[in-house]
Amino acid sequence: MTKLGVGIIGCGNISTSYLGLAPNFKALEVRAVADLNMEAATARAAEYEGVRAETVADLLAADDIDLVLNLTIPAAHFAVTKQILEAGKHAYSEKPFVLSLAEGEELRSLCAKTGLRVGSAPDTWMGGAHQAARAAIDAGQVGRITSGTAHVLSPGMEMWHPNPDFFFVAGGGPMLDLGPYYVTNLIQLLGPVKRVVALTTSASDTRTITTEGPRAGEKIPVETPTNIHALLEFVSGATITLSTSWDVWAHRHANMELYGTEGSIFVPDPNFFGGLVEIAGKDKEIKELSQPDHPFGISNQEDGQGTPRANYRTAGLADMAQAIVEDRPHRCSLELALHAVEVMTSVLKSGEEGRFVEMTTTCERPAAVTPEEASKLLG
């Protein structure tokens, strides 16, 4: 099969996930990395066989690079993706790929003019657990989804990240940092959102870095809400409570519960590909949902506590590369990502203005990722 040459701009922590997992997929080959800090690019390239370090300009001009992965900080995503498109390359960005609807529409216009594509993380919704939940919902096992809850709550990011400043400025915060996993998964399960309303606050004006290192004890300003509670109304009629917060020390909320006319389904953390899916009918008995053997649900790593987990980040990028070769729509599309961005920024706008915000974008549910479809992506 034809392989697309991939270049990476941004050599921070997340680049190791893509570089390490990319060889599992057959439609792409990472050939070069670049960073504003050339030393960072050189050091990262040295860790992976067959990967060279380039300046950003040289990577964008390289004839063997067809698709560029944008791993810069969120505030730079739009400008870098635009630069990639203007260089004649397809672009795939880490989430969120833009920070405003206007930025997304400008990139959409560029794609329409050039025939190039933009894709965006997250791709965790392609995982075996979330696809099993989707199959159960689509088969009517819990009837029509009418409501539900989704929670991602923790004390914050300054406890593990050595330079957490960008998490607490505009473009950061728990909604735009972790919300993409939850909102995108809800869209792929339930379809597009119609309108939102929210309350937003922050527990403190500053955060103290407690990560070991030279900045330990340093206070950083908080310039974006860190405690967001939203209500999402979907076009389907379902209403979902979504809470994202970095002001919570402990809680007992499940990641995602969806309630239907015939039962309930319990979906694991959409930040990961695998996990336990549970289901209950009118008998109220909660039991494990039988999942098919899904390639994106098989444990292939261990977490920090030695627990096996499934990690197939790069699946969305690989699907985009294969879709370009096969001339079909890619799943982690600009339309899906832009609708998710509008949902999240509208939640923040609603919290600021105290009113319902209607969506102006929509999208189709991305194609399901069956075990057979996942197998086609793997090398």
Side-chain angles (χ1 to χ4, degrees), residues 188-199:
Q188 77 99 12
L189 291 171
L190 305 178
V193 176
K194 179 181 179 181
R195 62 176 181 164
V196 303
V197 69
L199 295 171

Side-chain angles (χ1 to χ4, degrees), residues 307-321:
T307 304
R309 70 175 184 180
N311 183 6
Y312 294 89
R313 292 176 194 266
T314 307
L317 176 67
D319 175 70
M320 180 175 170

Side-chain angles (χ1 to χ4, degrees), residues 224-311:
T224 192
T226 54
N227 184 52
I228 299 108
H229 298 278
L231 186 63
L232 280 54
E233 180 183 3
F234 286 73
V235 173
S236 68
T239 54
I240 306 294
T241 299
L242 172 63
S243 297
T244 69
S245 180
W246 287 337
D247 295 330
V248 176
W249 288 98
H251 68 90
R252 289 180 173 172
H253 288 293
N255 294 112
M256 189 175 289
E257 299 186 355
L258 301 176
Y259 313 129
T261 54
E262 304 294 324
S264 301
I265 191 163
F266 305 85
V267 183
D269 190 345
N271 195 2
F272 300 98
F273 284 77
L276 176 68
V277 182
E278 295 180 303
I279 194 166
K282 288 186 174 180
D283 60 4
K284 303 178 185 178
E285 181 183 352
I286 299 174
K287 54 190 175 183
E288 182 175 350
L289 176 70
S290 177
Q291 298 186 36
D293 291 331
H294 196 290
F296 293 162
I298 298 170
S299 297
N300 59 348
Q301 290 184 351
E302 291 185 351
D303 64 14
Q305 287 73 47
T307 304
R309 70 175 184 180
N311 183 6

Side-chain angles (χ1 to χ4, degrees), residues 20 34 51-52 56 73 89-90 160 172 191 218 239 302 305 312 338 346 357 361 375:
V51 178
R52 66 183 187 271
V56 172
I73 62 171
K89 314 288 189 186
H90 302 288
W160 65 270
E218 181 181 334
T239 54
E302 291 185 351
Q305 287 73 47
Y312 294 89
L338 185 57
S346 295
V357 179
T361 65
S375 294

Side-chain angles (χ1 to χ4, degrees), residues 107-127:
L107 294 182
R108 195 207 302 259
S109 178
L110 264 176
C111 289
K113 291 175 183 176
T114 62
L116 295 168
R117 299 195 189 200
V118 166
S120 175
D123 57 5
T124 45
W125 61 266
M126 298 172 66

